[in-house]
Amino acid sequence: MPTKTKYNEEELIAHLVSKDQKRFEAIYDYFAASIFGIIKQIVNSEEIAQDVLQESFVKIWNSSSSYSADKARLFTWVLNIARNTAIDHLRSKHGKMENKIQSIDNFVHIPGSEGITVAKNHDHIGIKKLLGELKDEHREIIELAYFEGYTQEEISQKMNIPLGTVKTRARAALQTLRNALKL
């Protein structure tokens, strides 16, 4: 298996703004596995996650000129586009219909499938470990917001806590993560 080329933030940003297809492929290769894992957690389907991943990278390509290193790190910007695309899909009429229809995999046992495993390669930046270090009340809010696509208002209702508390906990959790990542 070929090794993944390591790029620093500036090189990736240069690839993004160059509008060069080959250089953009490097961005895709660098981020796709991590982004796919997060999208899959939001949409809860590998097939849909693949479609949303592709749609996300088209949006990233089309909006590359709007990226500003002063506002966010590149991974954060890419993640937000992908996350929003996944949430948009869930909230769309098509996405709501897919959520109502259960996959046949939930009802059919495939003989010999017990040994089949899927590599969880999307966590190469250690997000799972970092989330594990958060207070439970903070981690739950981050997981609901970023992995399940809930809005802060929806989290407030689901957890039966005031909206201000959700916002405070989310801000504290993000600050803890930012400090852990030294951003």
Side-chain angles (χ1 to χ4, degrees), residues 36 40 46 115-121:
F36 175 77
K40 186 176 171 191
E46 190 161 331
I116 298 173
T117 59
V118 177
K120 298 246 179 189
N121 199 18

Side-chain angles (χ1 to χ4, degrees), residues 21-63:
Q21 185 176 352
K22 285 287 184 197
R23 293 177 83 187
F24 189 76
E25 286 175 13
I27 291 174
Y28 181 89
D29 292 342
Y30 199 79
F31 291 122
S34 296
I35 298 301
F36 175 77
I38 292 166
I39 292 170
K40 186 176 171 191
Q41 286 183 325
I42 293 170
V43 300
N44 204 22
S45 164
E46 190 161 331
E47 295 82 20
I48 295 169
Q50 290 171 351
D51 291 341
V52 172
L53 179 69
Q54 293 305 313
E55 184 180 343
S56 298
F57 274 93
V58 168
K59 287 182 179 182
I60 291 163
W61 170 268
N62 289 333
S63 60

Side-chain angles (χ1 to χ4, degrees), residues 3 12 21 28 73-74 81 104 116-117 120 126 148 163 168 170 180:
T3 58
L12 289 169
Q21 185 176 352
Y28 181 89
R73 293 186 56 113
L74 184 58
I81 290 173
I104 196 166
I116 298 173
T117 59
K120 298 246 179 189
E148 295 184 35
L163 178 59
T168 300

